[in-house]
Amino acid sequence: MFFALSKILEFLLTPFTWIVALLVLSLWLKKPVWKKRLAISSLILLIFFSNPYLANKVINWWEMDPYPLTSIDSPYDVAVLMGGSLRYYDHTNQRPVYSHSVDRLIQTIALYKEGKIRRILLSGGSGILLKQSDKESDIILKVLLQSGIPQQHIIIENQSRNTYENAIFSTEILNHNFPNSKVLLITSAFHMRRSLACFKKAGMTLMPYPVDKKGRSDGMTPDRIFIPDPAFLIYWDILIHEWIGMVTYKIQGYI
């Protein structure tokens, strides 16, 4: 029930939903004064949430800062790769379709190839509300094997549907099979705060390795500051998803 409610709440609170809802109401209402107010409000929200400068500032504030691979002096026994690299599996063409967070997977492969991690724990089942058959970890396993990583160095956790379950099920595996191991946690910089909080609640201490940084660290040109870009609505979707997750997880006692 919580899984389904969290998906519905996320949809209702995304900026795009607000913008469309106000626009539809402006077309539906009869009174001209309210039609005008709602249409203007919809336009203001669109301009605000599509502003690259504001979105970049907020996501940079929220994200945990990545650090270079070369700063890892000794290899970690296990790296937990959080799910989210996969968008879906294309059964027609028999290949995975990756998400905007595929950097999680790419950086994990790089860490293994550089000898910074000895094993990879793939944590992720299906986060799709109405389709639980395609397990992300099972699909990513094939990608790792194709990349030349031996199967004996890959651990599968394919039952989790969200970050809380990632932490609970992965901790069980780590405690049972790799007690007292040195563990690295790999996920997107925007997702790291919630992930660490869940693992801490589960009783597991890991070293964070943030990847997939969305915020820019270089200066922004005037056109990037003043000209709206609808693509930055995605930044706000990411942020609001994480904020909702932090609040609801706190209420549920997950963190």
Side-chain angles (χ1 to χ4, degrees):
M1 179 62 73
F2 173 76
F3 179 66
L5 289 175
S6 65
K7 294 293 184 182
I8 295 169
L9 182 62
E10 180 186 342
F11 168 75
L12 293 176
L13 293 181
T14 56
F16 186 74
T17 301
W18 307 345
I19 292 164
V20 171
L22 288 173
L23 185 60
V24 169
L25 281 172
S26 72
L27 297 173
W28 180 71
L29 292 176
K30 301 298 184 182
K31 292 185 178 181
V33 63
W34 281 107
K35 290 174 70 72
K36 182 178 180 180
R37 287 175 180 175
L38 291 174
I40 291 173
S41 297
S42 178
L43 179 61
I44 290 172
L45 287 178
L46 178 60
I47 293 172
F48 178 87
F49 286 113
S50 63
N51 182 274
Y53 179 78
L54 292 174
N56 194 67
K57 279 290 187 182
V58 178
I59 203 162
N60 265 327
W61 162 77
W62 178 255
E63 288 184 315
M64 290 189 69
D65 292 330
Y67 53 89
L69 175 150
T70 53
S71 66
I72 299 177
D73 298 324
S74 59
Y76 285 81
D77 299 307
V78 184
V80 178
L81 171 59
M82 299 291 275
S85 299
L86 189 72
R87 187 178 168 202
Y88 66 92
Y89 188 77
D90 184 347
H91 288 277
T92 301
N93 296 299
Q94 295 294 298
R95 61 190 180 204
V97 177
Y98 299 103
S99 75
H100 59 78
S101 293
V102 69
D103 191 53
R104 303 180 188 184
L105 172 61
I106 294 170
Q107 298 297 337
T108 300
I109 294 172
L111 283 164
Y112 182 87
K113 297 290 186 179
E114 290 290 331
K116 302 298 183 179
I117 54 178
R118 295 192 177 100
R119 301 178 187 85
I120 301 169
L121 195 165
L122 298 176
S123 182
S126 175
I128 301 175
L129 183 60
L130 298 178
K131 188 175 183 181
Q132 294 289 306
S133 57
D134 290 338
K135 307 293 187 180
E136 178 171 341
S137 292
D138 296 337
I139 297 167
I140 297 300
L141 167 63
K142 298 176 183 178
V143 178
L144 294 185
L145 295 175
Q146 291 168 354
S147 301
I149 299 176
Q151 186 155 4
Q152 63 265 30
H153 291 171
I154 305 170
I155 308 114
I156 299 295
E157 181 287 290
N158 62 6
Q159 297 304 307
S160 57
R161 300 171 300 168
N162 54 35
T163 303
Y164 167 70
E165 292 182 357
N166 287 144
I168 294 297
F169 300 153
S170 296
T171 297
E172 289 177 357
I173 292 172
L174 291 168
N175 285 337
H176 185 266
N177 297 312
F178 307 99
N180 304 315
S181 293
K182 186 181 175 185
V183 183
L184 192 70
L185 178 61
I186 305 171
T187 192
S188 299
F190 66 81
H191 184 233
M192 186 59 79
R193 293 178 187 268
R194 185 156 57 105
S195 299
L196 279 177
C198 287
F199 273 97
K200 182 179 179 181
K201 183 72 174 183
M204 176 62 64
T205 301
L206 311 88
M207 177 62 69
Y209 190 78
V211 298
D212 183 35
K213 184 170 172 58
K214 303 300 184 186
R216 293 172 58 122
S217 56
D218 56 338
M220 300 187 73
T221 57
D223 63 305
R224 301 289 288 175
I225 295 174
F226 299 111
I227 299 177
D229 183 348
F232 283 87
L233 286 166
I234 297 172
Y235 276 39
W236 288 102
D237 282 348
I238 290 170
L239 286 166
I240 290 171
H241 174 81
E242 287 304 307
W243 295 342
I244 291 171
M246 292 293 280
V247 171
T248 55
Y249 277 25
K250 187 68 175 177
I251 293 170
Q252 289 290 117
Y254 293 170
I255 58 176

